[in-house]
Amino acid sequence: DAGVIQSPRHEVTEMGQEVTLRCKPISGHNSLFWYRQTMMRGLELLIYFNNNVPIDDSGMPEDRFSAKMPNASFSTLKIQPSEPRDSAVYFCASTKTGVVGYTFGSGTRLTVV
Amino acid sequence: GENVEQHPSTLSVQEGDSAVIKCTYSDSASNYFPWYKQELGKGPQLIIDIRSNVGEKKDQRIAVTLNKTAKHFSLHITETQPEDSAVYFCAASYSGNTPLVFGKGTRLSVIA
């Protein structure tokens, strides 16, 4: 299994631009989580999906952030417009009902200049 | 909601010594407590976990203890090696499939 796949690995964009982060969970996993990691705040949950349905998006910072999961094998996190304070590493993780523990992807390092 | 506190934030040990990282949690309903290791440029990786019906769990040089009454749990690494150097995170959740709340992490350095 290739694990959780995130793309791109690095993204540098200018303030105001739209950014789309992508995640492919492990095949057969039915829960998907988006986390943001910063030095100051650590790992923060942004949103999570069960069976492709958003369950809790209370961690999404503001309306500039949106996430979708159109099918069991793909999810996106979009920031529009991006701001310098959005600079962070964004992780996607997946798991399966009855299986304990998440598997994390390698993350996307986002830099907004 | 759940709040997880982790200490210390940095820890340096000599190779071969033991390392202990401690976490406390606030929600008595939490019953799943994993530990993750994050190496530079990589995502966190699960190294060991414990459920609330168990007080201690061991896997080779790594052990985790849980005190539900006091709401704290600890990671113990014995006979540390340079490859143990990484950032370690504790976490808590109601079950293995619900969102994890993470501690702020401990940067462990093992000095050869």
Side-chain angles (χ1 to χ4, degrees):
Chain A
D1 196 325
V4 176
I5 300 173
Q6 291 188 246
S7 64
R9 285 299 311 274
H10 303 276
E11 176 79 36
V12 180
T13 190
E14 292 185 346
M15 182 174 62
Q17 296 297 306
E18 177 180 295
V19 176
T20 299
L21 312 181
R22 297 172 176 79
C23 175
K24 176 179 170 55
I26 290 174
S27 177
H29 282 194
N30 61 340
S31 294
L32 184 141
F33 307 84
W34 282 99
Y35 280 84
R36 178 171 68 176
Q37 184 176 40
T38 61
M39 288 295 294
M40 290 298 295
R41 302 173 70 90
L43 279 159
E44 301 175 281
L45 178 70
L46 299 176
I47 185 171
Y48 81 100
F49 297 83
N50 273 349
N51 298 316
N52 311 338
V53 176
I55 303 300
D56 184 357
D57 66 354
S58 60
M60 296 286 259
E62 45 198 275
D63 292 346
R64 298 185 296 106
F65 286 68
S66 62
K68 294 182 179 180
M69 192 163 187
N71 56 62
S73 58
F74 185 64
S75 177
T76 60
L77 178 67
K78 186 176 293 186
I79 308 172
Q80 165 64 18
S82 58
E83 297 182 2
R85 59 192 168 120
D86 301 330
S87 297
V89 181
Y90 291 80
F91 286 104
C92 173
S94 70
T95 190
K96 178 181 177 181
T97 302
V99 173
V100 294
Y102 301 171
T103 300
F104 278 84
S106 297
T108 295
R109 180 175 295 278
L110 173 65
T111 303
V112 183
V113 297
Chain B
E2 177 66 278
N3 182 51
V4 177
E5 299 284 340
Q6 183 172 346
H7 300 278
S9 57
T10 60
L11 179 61
S12 291
V13 299
Q14 293 288 329
E15 182 178 359
D17 287 350
S18 295
V20 180
I21 303 170
K22 299 182 179 181
C23 290
T24 61
Y25 61 99
S26 61
D27 190 348
S28 57
S30 291
N31 61 8
Y32 174 66
F33 308 94
W35 287 87
Y36 284 80
K37 176 183 181 181
Q38 186 177 24
E39 297 176 326
L40 196 62
K42 297 183 178 180
Q45 182 177 17
L46 179 68
I47 56 171
I48 194 168
D49 56 16
I50 192 168
R51 289 196 174 276
S52 59
N53 58 347
V54 177
E56 183 174 356
K57 184 177 178 180
K58 191 172 182 179
D59 182 4
Q60 298 182 349
R61 297 186 296 109
I62 296 173
V64 57
T65 59
L66 170 65
N67 183 327
K68 280 223 76 177
T69 303
K71 291 195 285 218
H72 65 70
F73 55 114
S74 301
L75 178 71
H76 305 252
I77 306 174
T78 59
E79 301 173 18
T80 54
Q81 302 167 2
E83 52 264 39
D84 294 329
S85 297
V87 180
Y88 291 81
F89 293 93
C90 62
S93 76
Y94 178 68
S95 75
N97 298 112
T98 55
L100 292 170
V101 177
F102 285 87
K104 290 288 180 65
T106 296
R107 181 173 299 277
L108 174 64
S109 299
V110 180
I111 303 166

